[in-house]
Amino acid sequence: MVDAASGTAGSPPRAEDAPEKPLTAIQFARKIVGRIVVYSLFPVYFSQAFALRRHALTLTPAVGPTEGRIGRGDPLHFLAVGDSIISGVGARRIQQSTVGHVARFMSGRLAREINWRAAGMIGAGARRVRRDVVPALPQQRFDAILLSVGVNDVLKLERSGRFRRQLL
């Protein structure tokens, strides 16, 4: 075969290269009716979305102190700062949360005493963590820091460039 555009030998024509067949009247009518139904249901979709958001489950933080000590040995100061995962949402007690698990893991792995502190805010995006949580932290030196932000920014459809700027 010779390619008409370049005048060189090419591969045989493929099915996707063939011109599209025009829709029949029935196919066209089905397509139009389908779109009308979908577009006409937009108000229902939006009202359901807002109702869901208004009546959604309220998350609560884990019970217990927001700071503690675990293990023995040379002390290491560990700070966990961020959103609801740091507040312990999903765990009954803060020691059973991500912060507690990370502190226990660090203590076992490093054979050190871990002095941990959790500073989290439920529903906070990067901006709120930086604006509200970080200034309330104690003025002390931490050896290790766990930062958890981003999930709420994604849920709020935050743009990636703005998210990056809010972290710095």
Side-chain angles (χ1 to χ4, degrees), residues 99-116:
V99 177
H101 285 292
V102 171
R104 263 192 310 285
F105 175 80
M106 289 172 66
S107 176
R109 181 66 90 163
L110 302 173
R112 293 181 70 177
E113 175 184 286
I114 306 297
N115 295 312
W116 59 268

Side-chain angles (χ1 to χ4, degrees), residues 19-81:
E20 214 175 289
K21 290 182 185 178
L23 296 175
T24 66
I26 293 175
Q27 290 172 326
F28 182 73
R30 284 183 182 160
K31 196 172 192 177
I32 294 297
V33 168
R35 287 185 178 173
I36 289 171
V37 168
V38 169
Y39 292 137
S40 66
L41 289 175
F42 272 172
V44 175
Y45 300 151
F46 284 118
S47 67
Q48 286 180 345
F50 287 121
L52 176 66
R53 192 161 192 166
R54 195 171 41 249
H55 300 293
L57 173 68
T58 302
L59 303 174
T60 56
V63 176
T66 57
E67 58 186 283
R69 182 177 310 171
I70 189 167
R72 292 184 180 180
D74 192 28
L76 183 135
H77 299 280
F78 167 57
L79 170 68
V81 61

